[in-house]
Amino acid sequence: MAITLFGDHAIASPPLSSRLTPAQIWGIVLLAPYFLVFLAFVVYPVCYGLWLARDPANYVALYNDPIFARAAVNTLIFLVIGINIKMLIALFLSGFFVQQRTWIKWLSVIFILPWAVPSIPTILSVRFMLNPEWGMVNHLIFSFTGDDGPNWLNDPTVALTMAIAVHIWKSLPFWTLILITGRLAISHDLFEAAEVDGASWWQKFRYITWPSMQTLYVTCTLLSMIWTLGDFNSVYLLTGGGPADLTHVLSTLGIRYLRLDQLSLAMASIVCAMPFVLPLVYFMMKRLSR
Amino acid sequence: MKLPTLREVATEAKLLLIGIPVFIWTMVPIYHMFLFAISPKEDAFSGKLWPDHPTLHNFSIVFNQQHYFLRDFYIQFWNSVVIAASVGALTLFIATAAAFSISRLKVPGGRVVMNLALFTYFIPAAFLAVPMYRTMGNYGLLNNHWSLILAMVTIASPYAIWVLKQASDKLPVELDEAAVMDGATTLQIFRLVYLPLMMPSLVAIGTYAVLLAWNEYLYAFLLLSNDREITLPVALGNFLAADDSPWELLMTTGFIYALPPAAIYYAFRRYMVGGLTAGAVKS
């Protein structure tokens, strides 16, 4: 039986190896390691996770969990307010850093540091700075005003604001760098011509810089949204999701459920973000693989 | 030397008005970390901007492992080194092979794999962490360095392939053709033509993967838990478990931990900025 099958197969199509050139065989061999990694550590986990999250009861449980609703709102605040502030500052600073000055060059070298150093010591450093009794910030407030400063991380609104500030601190250098690259790509002649015509600072930005950077800016904003959704450190290391689980975002919430051994809830909370993430991913892939 | 005009002075002042806050904003958390590292405990907690008695005593405690939390400092540091180096090497191997295959050999289905890789690049890392944790459990790799290495390779590879493929596409196809005419085999082209030309991008990607693995906290903290298996960032996170955390030692260890990536970054900055920003967003 097996022999017959083999024979049929051999007649129907020659063995794969004879249809492929040696270069193509090497191509397959060289692509195999990544493909295996992809199967084992992306496809399998994702399918397994979706399977775990399949029970509709999970979504009912999430819907009834006030912490989930709060985390969803916090995530939206992070995305809408945090990212726009970050990207606008990055756009502004990219204009600052393209100025030709020796000291600005040196400053740009220092400015990269938050991006280059690991999150954990720096975010914990901020956490201690904000300590109401011992932290540097409240010591300074006290020495200037004689009043006690706020209890920064004990008020959910203030704590979330601080988490957004930490996120901006950490990722601003990267986006500024990208937008600097965008600005440097604009032809200098345009600015010189505008200079001759006596264009103001705003007119130059409005009619030359912005039109050339618009697409890049939008792409960066979208990519930043995806990455911010995956930013676990800014919230977890600063507030740990507290006080009273009121500063969670979706990424820390997923890990929280995981730590509580509620894996299917953890997966379900991530699945809930998918209708939002997938269009972004689709759009980014279309833009990048053009 | 001519005196600056009033207009030039005004411009410079405006730039400084931006530059000074930018400098303070960037440096404060890092300076605060450094301040703690050189302060005795009482100075650190007093909120002073410079300690009365700056000291290197904290460093000596860390390097001599003279605290409960620092018992395994060297082994944890070594774990971080081994994992970062393995992730760098493995990512380079996998991504270079894949980029060569897709870009130069035009392997059938290469484009599909490329798009799948790109898709992975866009999955938020914290979202993949949840199923990844269970997957590593199913594979029996939890608490084994391989789990973190493989997880970080999975995360680093897509971007690495993407950047290397972009760089490969820029190499003239005539080089490969000439080598084929001379009778070179595919592997010889890879080794003798392709790799040398790709060196700058390989340096950028290797550095990227090493830094990614060295700085990683979330995956390390999920996948490793044994005190002698964990990496330095997880050990730092564990400092917080105590009610009376030794913050000055935490910051000292954190400072030591933050030095290698900063040094590596500055050493390879020339390669990184060009190689990485070009790949991140095609403008």
Side-chain angles (χ1 to χ4, degrees):
Chain A
M1 180 76 171
I3 295 166
T4 329
L5 266 178
F6 181 72
D8 282 350
H9 182 73
I11 292 161
S13 64
L16 200 62
S17 56
S18 72
R19 280 187 288 132
L20 290 170
T21 64
Q24 281 177 323
I25 293 170
W26 271 116
I28 292 167
V29 170
L30 290 174
L31 200 54
Y34 178 68
F35 196 67
L36 291 178
V37 166
F38 180 76
L39 280 184
F41 300 106
V42 180
V43 175
Y44 174 71
V46 168
C47 293
Y48 182 63
L50 290 176
W51 184 76
L52 283 170
R54 73 198 179 285
D55 186 355
N58 290 320
Y59 301 92
V60 177
L62 278 184
Y63 183 79
N64 289 324
D65 187 345
I67 298 174
F68 175 76
R70 185 71 193 222
V73 173
N74 288 344
T75 309
L76 268 181
I77 293 173
F78 232 92
L79 291 180
V80 175
I81 299 176
I83 290 180
N84 281 306
I85 291 176
K86 174 175 74 180
M87 294 311 293
L88 284 172
I89 299 175
L91 182 64
F92 175 75
L93 286 185
S94 67
F96 166 76
F97 279 114
V98 291
Q99 305 289 323
Q100 302 290 325
R101 299 279 193 293
T102 319
W103 67 270
I104 291 183
K105 217 178 200 121
W106 279 106
L107 185 59
S108 72
V109 171
I110 295 169
F111 181 64
I112 289 299
L113 268 174
W115 182 55
V117 299
S119 302
I120 186 159
T122 47
I123 297 180
L124 291 180
S125 170
V126 174
R127 180 166 165 164
F128 197 89
M129 273 163 53
L130 296 175
N131 182 300
E133 285 166 69
W134 312 109
M136 183 192 267
V137 175
N138 277 5
H139 271 291
L140 283 179
I141 290 177
F142 185 80
S143 65
F144 281 120
T145 66
D147 289 324
D148 288 335
N151 194 342
W152 297 90
L153 300 178
N154 227 1
D155 176 318
T157 315
V158 182
L160 189 70
T161 312
M162 290 299 118
I164 292 175
V166 163
H167 169 80
I168 294 177
W169 183 81
K170 177 81 189 155
S171 52
L172 186 64
F174 178 78
W175 295 113
T176 309
L177 210 64
I178 302 274
L179 294 179
I180 288 173
T181 327
R183 275 193 197 250
L184 291 175
I186 305 171
S187 159
H188 212 78
D189 300 347
L190 292 172
F191 289 108
E192 273 167 16
E195 206 89 47
V196 171
D197 293 343
S200 70
W201 165 84
W202 171 249
Q203 282 169 328
K204 278 188 273 184
F205 176 78
R206 175 72 189 79
Y207 297 105
I208 303 172
T209 314
W210 179 246
S212 345
M213 305 246 309
Q214 201 177 8
T215 330
L216 177 67
Y217 185 82
V218 172
T219 312
C220 287
T221 308
L222 293 176
L223 191 54
S224 169
M225 282 177 127
I226 302 177
W227 285 348
T228 306
L229 279 169
D231 180 14
F232 168 84
N233 293 340
S234 301
V235 171
Y236 183 82
L237 295 174
L238 190 73
T239 72
D245 285 319
L246 291 172
T247 59
H248 275 293
V249 287
L250 288 177
S251 57
T252 59
L253 188 72
I255 306 298
R256 176 180 173 271
Y257 286 131
L258 188 67
R259 302 294 282 182
L260 294 173
D261 237 355
Q262 294 173 310
L263 191 66
S264 36
L265 273 190
M267 263 324 290
S269 69
I270 289 166
V271 170
C272 286
M274 283 305 130
F276 184 75
V277 177
L278 288 178
L280 278 175
V281 171
Y282 175 74
F283 182 80
M284 286 307 302
M285 287 186 58
K286 269 192 83 127
R287 268 199 49 78
L288 284 177
S289 60
R290 263 198 316 234
Chain B
M1 201 182 119
K2 80 179 174 65
L3 285 168
T5 64
L6 202 62
R7 200 190 144 96
E8 280 165 351
V9 172
T11 318
E12 204 67 19
K14 267 189 270 179
L15 287 176
L16 276 171
L17 219 55
I18 304 168
I20 294 170
V22 167
F23 177 76
I24 295 174
W25 166 259
T26 304
M27 284 312 287
V28 161
I30 298 169
Y31 174 73
H32 184 259
M33 176 166 75
F34 172 71
L35 181 69
F36 262 58
I38 59 159
S39 299
K41 193 169 188 127
E42 53 282 12
D43 279 0
F45 282 59
S46 70
K48 291 200 176 75
L49 294 179
W50 183 252
D52 292 335
H53 310 285
T55 167
L56 292 178
H57 185 59
N58 293 328
F59 286 90
S60 121
I61 296 179
V62 174
F63 286 128
N64 292 313
Q65 309 193 105
Q66 285 164 337
H67 190 279
Y68 172 74
F69 282 109
L70 295 161
R71 261 182 334 182
D72 298 312
F73 172 75
Y74 285 105
I75 200 163
Q76 288 158 352
F77 194 93
W78 180 241
N79 290 342
S80 281
V81 171
V82 169
I83 289 171
S86 313
V87 171
L90 213 55
T91 304
L92 267 184
F93 170 73
I94 290 178
T96 316
F100 180 71
S101 167
I102 297 167
S103 166
R104 311 304 291 179
L105 301 177
K106 310 263 185 261
V107 63
R111 234 197 128 67
V112 177
V113 176
M114 184 72 227
N115 284 332
L116 291 174
L118 212 52
F119 180 77
T120 317
Y121 177 47
F122 291 134
I123 300 179
F127 288 5
L128 191 60
V130 173
M132 185 85 92
Y133 169 73
R134 260 312 271 275
T135 302
M136 290 299 179
N138 291 352
Y139 291 155
L141 289 173
L142 280 184
N143 233 334
N144 179 322
H145 285 172
W146 278 109
S147 64
L148 185 56
I149 294 172
L150 289 167
M152 295 322 291
V153 167
T154 308
I155 291 169
S157 295
Y159 182 60
I161 295 176
W162 170 249
V163 171
L164 293 179
K165 195 225 166 223
Q166 302 274 90
S168 306
D169 286 349
K170 290 195 190 103
L171 300 179
V173 82
E174 290 78 15
L175 285 172
D176 293 13
E177 286 165 1
V180 171
M181 296 287 271
D182 291 342
T185 65
T186 307
L187 270 194
Q188 280 171 329
I189 294 176
F190 180 66
R191 212 157 44 88
L192 302 171
V193 180
Y194 183 75
L195 285 185
L197 287 171
M198 290 289 288
M199 242 343 132
S201 307
L202 296 182
V203 172
I205 284 302
T207 316
Y208 156 77
V210 166
L211 290 187
L212 189 80
W214 179 269
N215 292 351
E216 178 59 28
Y217 175 66
L218 171 61
Y219 280 80
F221 136 88
L222 284 179
L223 298 173
L224 307 174
S225 50
N226 186 330
D227 270 353
R228 297 179 68 80
E229 302 296 333
I230 56 176
T231 55
L232 220 40
V234 186
L236 288 174
N238 289 350
F239 267 67
L240 295 176
D243 291 333
D244 182 25
S245 301
W247 275 87
E248 70 289 355
L249 297 180
L250 169 64
M251 288 290 111
T252 311
T253 317
F255 187 74
I256 296 167
Y257 165 67
L259 280 179
I264 292 174
Y265 174 77
Y266 284 117
F268 295 109
R269 196 161 59 95
R270 213 154 43 91
Y271 298 99
M272 300 264 306
V273 174
L276 298 184
T277 55
V281 180
K282 194 156 88 178
S283 48

